[in-house]
Amino acid sequence: MSLFFARRERRAPFAEPEIPRPSATGGTFARINLARAEASLQKVAVWSATDLIASLVSTLPIDVYAGTGKARREVPKPKVLLDPAGDGYGTIDWVYQYMMSLLLRGNGYGKTVERDRMGNPTQIVLYHPDEVQGWRDEKTGLPQWRAGGTKVEHEDMWHRRAYPMPGRLLGLSPVEHHASTIGLGIAAGRFGKQWFEDGAHPSGMLTNDKSLDPEQARTAKERFLASLSGSRDVAVLGQGWKYQAIQVSANESQFLETQRYTGAECARIYGPGMAEILGYDTGGSMTYANVEQRGLDLLTYALDKWLVRTEDMFTSLLPEGQYVKLNRAALSRTDLLTRTRAHAIALQNKWAVVNEVRDLEDQPPVDWGDKPNDGDAPKVKIDD
């Protein structure tokens, strides 16, 4: 049995799983149980990285198209893109759950509870990833599924995976494969907390060069503490008495170096540059000039692969010929001057019309804004 993983308990398919808390291990830092997906979120870097990716993917605007090239046109969103679970919480809530399942366990599971007349799913209720077991039948090679100990028919199980490997039905779990790093970071934080709460570490020593019986030692201690209690006055000691403060540096008492290292490593699980974006790498400087570049790095190295996977996932739920695109432009939030210049260049070269620009800036359309400018637009100076 692994140090960081324990045997999972089976529950009903839609039971509300318990959220693991630090106290679940009896207050000790020596054993970290990452058997539940949420347990890894006790490490701040894991929470920050997964929440950042899941939040951005779930909040990007979703557009549905049919056709390509000049025949491409936007079509209304089907029911499955408006409220995938049919529970009233909407698409953002559903996509966030789906992304957290992929990011922590490498798999997303759900039960298809409703289809349209063409057989396309219109309602998918997600399972907690720790409640699902999947394997291939040795004779038929077909996937077999159980959720909370109950068999789920192959036709009803909805499954998407990340980190796939040849010959494996399920995707790899990032938390399971990095359990040592995540567990070490959580253990270091708990150790610091436990050290301060109940560690045997006196704040100072009061000594005398003469032998003292227990009663004399207790009396000296009580008088010394009474003279300092509630004040910052100077202590005056008699002949032979010495006081020595015992100071333990914060980095030693809380394993700060270990926590910084594991924090950066946990962030890097979710993409190169994630540690720098979250502030775990202090080797460089964050300036106004490179804030936008870091945003592009986030999109390029950490986020875009999840956007492509999400587009592919939603496209698989649509009728043939329709496809989903997530609006990545919503991530490019620049300053007003840069944004205005970009709009002006697009209008100048007739890549966009006025109403498209106004929509991006949350302004209402104008009657004359649906056609490109016929006249020569004034040239925009790109560089200062």
Side-chain angles (χ1 to χ4, degrees), residues 13 34 51 61 82 100 111 146 148 171 175 210 248 255 296 354:
L34 297 180
D51 176 67
L82 299 176
M100 291 299 285
K111 184 174 183 179
R146 296 184 72 85
V175 171
K210 297 180 180 180
V248 178
F255 278 28
L296 293 175
V354 170

Side-chain angles (χ1 to χ4, degrees), residues 124-167:
I124 299 172
V125 179
L126 296 176
Y127 287 107
H128 191 286
D130 294 341
E131 304 301 325
V132 179
Q133 297 84 41
W135 66 95
R136 292 191 184 276
D137 186 273
E138 294 182 359
K139 295 181 179 180
T140 65
L142 295 176
Q144 303 293 310
W145 301 100
R146 296 184 72 85
T150 303
K151 182 178 179 180
V152 180
E153 296 299 328
H154 170 65
E155 296 77 12
D156 295 333
M157 175 60 73
W158 180 84
H159 174 229
R160 303 292 292 190
R161 64 188 180 185
Y163 313 107
M165 289 292 290

Side-chain angles (χ1 to χ4, degrees), residues 203-366:
S203 59
M205 292 190 300
L206 188 64
T207 61
N208 193 290
D209 54 6
K210 297 180 180 180
S211 298
L212 300 176
D213 59 38
E215 182 64 29
Q216 290 173 324
R218 183 168 54 254
T219 301
K221 174 184 174 181
E222 291 174 353
R223 289 181 178 179
F224 181 77
L225 292 176
S227 66
L228 298 179
S229 179
S231 70
R232 297 180 60 87
D233 203 354
V234 177
V236 179
L237 306 179
Q239 183 178 4
W241 286 102
K242 296 180 181 178
Y243 177 75
Q244 178 183 356
I246 299 177
Q247 297 291 337
V248 178
S249 62
N251 63 319
E252 292 176 352
S253 64
Q254 299 186 68
F255 278 28
L256 294 186
E257 292 299 327
T258 301
Q259 292 195 61
R260 277 194 290 267
Y261 169 77
T262 57
E265 289 293 284
C266 289
R268 291 189 180 101
I269 293 172
Y270 297 101
M274 184 62 74
E276 290 76 10
I277 291 168
L278 295 177
Y280 285 101
D281 190 343
T282 58
S285 60
M286 174 71 82
T287 64
Y288 180 82
N290 62 26
V291 167
E292 184 176 352
Q293 184 59 48
R294 293 216 175 190
L296 293 175
D297 290 343
L298 171 64
L299 175 61
T300 303
Y301 299 116
L303 191 60
D304 196 60
K305 61 183 180 182
W306 298 109
L307 299 180
V308 173
R309 287 180 181 276
T310 304
E311 289 172 340
D312 182 66
M313 178 271 294
F314 274 134
T315 297
S316 69
L317 304 178
L318 301 181
E320 186 176 356
Q322 296 184 6
Y323 57 94
V324 164
K325 297 295 290 184
L326 297 179
N327 190 349
R328 291 162 173 78
L331 293 172
S332 304
R333 298 298 186 185
T334 58
D335 62 275
L336 178 61
L337 180 59
T338 303
R339 202 165 66 246
T340 303
R341 285 177 173 173
H343 293 330
I345 293 171
L347 293 173
Q348 173 181 296
N349 291 277
K350 300 182 181 181
W351 300 339
V353 296
V354 170
N355 279 342
E356 291 175 330
V357 172
R358 293 179 67 86
D359 183 62
L360 291 174
E361 294 297 326
D362 294 324
Q363 296 180 357
V366 292

Side-chain angles (χ1 to χ4, degrees), residues 94-111:
W94 189 91
V95 174
Y96 188 95
Q97 295 179 56
Y98 163 74
M99 284 302 306
M100 291 299 285
S101 185
L102 285 184
L103 291 165
L104 295 177
R105 287 298 189 231
N107 295 275
Y109 308 99
K111 184 174 183 179

